[in-house]
Amino acid sequence: MSTVRVGAEVLGWTAVLAGAAGVALHYSPFDARLPVLAAALAPYLMLGAVLAALLFAGVRSWAGALVAVLVAGVAAWTQAPLFTGGAVTGSGPEFTVAQANLLFDGADPAAFVGAVREREVDLLTVNELTPAALDGLAAAGLDALLPHRYVSPGRTASGTGIWSRFPLTGTVEFDGFVLNQLGATAEIPGAGPVAVFALHPVPPVYGIDVWAGELERLRALVERAPADRPVVVGGDFNATHDHAQFRRWLTGRLRDAAEQSGAGLLRTYPADKRYPPLVGIDHILLAGGRAHGVETVALPGADHRALVARVRLDS
């Protein structure tokens, strides 16, 4: 056996193992530091199976190629929901939802408000909202665009806010979380009351148990929203589609806007590096409606890209 063939097979089997590890991390239910942190990079590991298939085919190692193709097939299955989407249905009103993490008061207020204006955002959820950022956004004209707001600014990452073109009632801040978590009811013409949540569970680096616990408790809060009204959830979940802890949110009536629209892997973080964002941890979730035209938007000065979705309610 030639040196080239041996090297290709060693590299191929290593790549197969990387792909299999990505699949295993996608399905991992464990609230342990290493699998949780590594799961954010699962799609990149899964690409190893594709590389392996090419390597094995190149040296005509058909057994290895078969294994690699099988692993690649399972990997593709895990990501397919993000790319398939479906037709927009429903006869209810349409509106635009945006979610943004401002990096404390790092995001450029004028640029941010300009993006909100350009995309005709009707409902906005914001994380890492400081008092200085709140003043900057007001000075840049956000309150003129979206005159109804419920905000709980805080130091560094704790602040959260909801802005709306529609009146907000029933505002509530949920206690017992590290960062501020908000809820409200938007009175949308033609739809009636719509439950709105702006959420920000702690990142897993804060503590895996705390992160997993907050995700589960926040999910329970949202699930308690009245079943007869639509729900819109925006937030920096500090979790990707490849975290089983996040996908539990999608086992009930909630659906991921990016998944509904077939938008693919919408990577939002980190957005302040020389390389493109690597992971998608910002999400818009819906019940009683369907999203289309979902995209990410650059925010100068922030370390996240914003997420924008056009939503049509079911009725």
Side-chain angles (χ1 to χ4, degrees):
M1 185 178 293
S2 70
T3 302
V4 172
R5 182 182 178 89
V6 171
E9 292 208 354
V10 170
L11 183 57
W13 286 114
T14 302
V16 165
L17 289 174
V23 171
L25 289 166
H26 174 88
Y27 288 110
S28 170
F30 301 117
D31 297 334
R33 185 177 183 83
L34 182 58
V36 165
L37 296 179
L41 302 176
Y44 301 101
L45 292 171
M46 292 177 192
L47 289 174
V50 178
L51 172 62
L54 295 174
L55 287 169
F56 285 131
V59 296
R60 299 180 181 275
S61 177
W62 304 121
L66 177 60
V67 173
V69 167
L70 290 174
V71 174
V74 176
W77 178 263
T78 69
Q79 305 302 309
L82 291 169
F83 293 88
T84 51
V88 178
T89 59
S91 58
E94 283 199 5
F95 54 93
T96 300
V97 181
Q99 150 61 26
N101 183 312
L102 302 183
L103 185 60
F104 319 141
D105 47 6
D108 182 298
F112 179 50
V113 174
V116 171
R117 180 184 295 109
E118 179 182 350
R119 287 160 179 81
E120 299 181 337
V121 172
D122 300 297
L123 194 58
L124 170 68
T125 58
V126 169
N127 302 127
E128 300 193 5
L129 178 68
T130 65
L134 185 61
D135 292 342
L137 293 173
L142 183 59
D143 292 342
L145 288 175
L146 303 176
H148 306 280
R149 74 182 195 183
Y150 177 52
V151 298
S152 180
R155 297 181 57 189
T156 62
S158 63
T160 304
I162 300 171
W163 275 262
S164 174
R165 196 177 304 277
F166 318 110
L168 294 175
T169 60
T171 55
V172 59
E173 181 169 355
F174 302 106
D175 296 329
F177 297 91
V178 176
L179 309 176
N180 301 344
Q181 321 288 338
L182 305 182
T185 299
E187 300 292 337
I188 297 180
V194 175
V196 181
F197 297 87
L199 306 180
H200 194 189
V202 294
V205 293
Y206 184 93
I208 299 298
D209 290 343
V210 179
W211 167 81
E214 287 202 346
L215 279 171
E216 190 60 26
R217 287 191 291 131
L218 287 170
R219 184 176 71 87
L221 283 173
V222 173
E223 288 290 350
R224 287 202 292 270
D228 61 348
R229 67 180 55 173
V231 178
V232 176
V233 183
D236 171 4
F237 281 74
N238 281 303
T240 74
H241 175 265
D242 291 287
H243 284 107
Q245 294 85 349
F246 169 73
R247 294 197 308 279
R248 290 188 193 120
W249 284 70
L250 310 180
T251 59
R253 58 180 176 143
L254 290 168
R255 295 294 178 263
D256 189 314
E259 186 174 319
Q260 285 184 323
S261 66
L265 293 169
L266 294 179
R267 301 172 180 89
T268 59
Y269 178 84
D272 58 347
K273 309 298 182 186
R274 294 183 178 179
Y275 50 84
L278 296 176
V279 296
I281 57 177
D282 295 86
H283 303 280
I284 294 171
L285 306 183
L286 305 168
R290 189 173 189 92
H292 61 97
V294 183
E295 62 175 335
T296 63
V297 179
L299 296 180
D303 61 346
H304 288 239
R305 292 177 66 90
L307 196 61
V308 180
R310 188 69 179 164
V311 173
R312 178 182 292 171
L313 296 181
D314 291 342
S315 61

